[in-house]
Amino acid sequence: MVSSPSSTYELSVTTQGPLYPPSEICDPDGNFVVVGMLNEEVGDAKVSTRWGAAIVRASSPMPPFGDRLPYDIIRFIDPENPGPDANLILHTLPLPLPCNNYPMLFAPEQCPQAHSIVRPKRPLHEGVPDYRVEDGRQNVNPITLGDWLKASGHGTVEVEPNGTHALFSLEMKGLVPLSLYTVMSLRRHDLRRDNPTRPGPLGIPNCFTTDAHGSATYQARLPNPFPASSGGNRIENLVVLYMSTQASYGGAIGLHGLGGDIHAHLKIKHPAFNDLITRAS
């Protein structure tokens, strides 16, 4: 019997997709609530990037896509002991997205005018379009930073014996209860400076709902996600997204992305899957 290569990865709580916008969530004042990579100024006007948590001013400087500038940090947060910040009610980002330099249209067929839409920020739990009380929204409670920081999980990826497909399996807990989430893949070329590729779902459909305790599992089987070619657009991370719209979008991860309607909640801290290889059928 041929054994199948597999690896297991920790999923860490986050609020961040790319470095800009600094977060996919803001506080009631419109400042970014960042749990992820922080850009900080070090000696000789250089920028250091490290994993951390902070409230970042909405007016932070925005560099060209692919570059970094220091975030304007209002205060740091200890995710293990957030203190009064645990009570912050989390909000979507307004549209157009602030401090956004990512040149991407996430749903070109469904919402080609996405960049022209103007909309204020909203509490995460009030982001459902066409909402009516009588339709029975399952989770109507405000979502606080303390709630958000409870999330954790792990993912296992197993390459099938013939090497053409890989099975992704996720186990998660502490997510927002009774809510819709989706899972996206982040590929090597999605964040390149020139002609980046569009981030896509990790499987279609890519959605799951949490139980009353915020727990869930998810599986998806993908063709050739880890090509060996140096130019191959390998999957390097996966991101579990809270859907403030409580909707999924087929082959798109969202209509606006980056805090407009999707909100990164769990991810692998650093690029992963380097030890896995697949091939075309």
Side-chain angles (χ1 to χ4, degrees):
M1 179 179 295
V2 178
S3 61
S4 301
S6 65
S7 295
T8 299
Y9 303 87
E10 180 184 4
L11 299 175
S12 298
V13 65
T14 189
T15 62
Q16 187 183 63
L19 293 177
Y20 297 92
S23 172
E24 297 181 348
I25 283 173
C26 67
D27 68 9
D29 296 323
N31 295 310
F32 298 109
V33 181
V34 183
V35 181
M37 303 302 289
L38 297 176
N39 290 337
E40 299 175 84
E41 187 171 1
V42 294
D44 300 324
K46 295 181 179 179
V47 179
S48 172
T49 303
R50 65 174 180 88
W51 190 273
I55 304 297
V56 171
R57 205 175 304 277
S59 58
S60 289
M62 184 181 68
F65 177 61
D67 292 343
R68 297 174 299 158
L69 286 173
Y71 293 160
D72 186 356
I73 295 174
I74 297 174
R75 62 183 179 276
F76 291 99
I77 298 171
D78 178 359
E80 301 297 325
N81 184 23
D85 286 322
N87 298 318
L88 286 175
I89 295 177
L90 303 181
H91 288 63
T92 72
L93 300 189
L95 298 177
L97 297 169
C99 205
N100 173 39
N101 63 9
Y102 191 35
M104 187 57 60
L105 188 62
F106 289 96
E109 294 184 11
Q110 299 172 69
C111 195
Q113 77 283 14
H115 297 318
S116 65
I117 294 175
V118 177
R119 191 186 71 196
K121 69 181 186 300
R122 299 170 176 167
L124 282 188
H125 68 293
E126 295 180 359
V128 180
D130 301 318
Y131 171 64
R132 300 181 303 183
V133 172
E134 61 267 30
D135 294 327
R137 173 73 193 277
Q138 299 300 292
N139 182 67
V140 297
N141 299 314
I143 302 165
T144 67
L145 178 59
D147 298 328
W148 196 263
L149 292 172
K150 294 175 183 176
S152 63
H154 66 270
T156 299
V157 185
E158 182 175 5
V159 176
E160 295 181 358
N162 65 6
T164 62
H165 290 72
L167 180 67
F168 295 76
S169 302
L170 309 183
E171 292 189 15
M172 299 150 287
K173 62 182 181 180
L175 299 172
V176 180
L178 302 173
S179 296
L180 182 75
Y181 279 79
T182 62
V183 187
M184 65 165 278
S185 64
L186 186 65
R187 294 179 182 265
R188 176 173 293 169
H189 298 165
D190 290 349
L191 296 178
R192 65 185 176 186
R193 286 176 182 262
D194 298 322
N195 193 28
T197 50
R198 176 165 61 91
L202 187 84
I204 297 175
N206 66 326
C207 49
F208 64 88
T209 54
T210 55
D211 66 16
H213 303 288
S215 298
T217 60
Y218 178 79
Q219 276 196 339
R221 179 176 180 263
L222 267 70
N224 194 22
F226 310 117
S229 162
S230 59
N233 200 10
R234 294 172 55 92
I235 293 178
E236 294 189 334
N237 210 325
L238 55 88
V239 188
V240 177
L241 303 167
Y242 174 76
M243 307 302 289
S244 55
T245 57
Q246 295 300 283
S248 64
Y249 299 98
I253 58 173
L255 302 185
H256 306 285
L258 303 181
D261 50 1
I262 66 172
H263 312 273
H265 201 168
L266 291 171
K267 68 191 295 187
I268 304 170
K269 282 187 177 180
H270 305 288
F273 316 130
N274 292 330
D275 56 331
L276 301 177
I277 299 292
T278 54
R279 62 179 181 83
S281 299

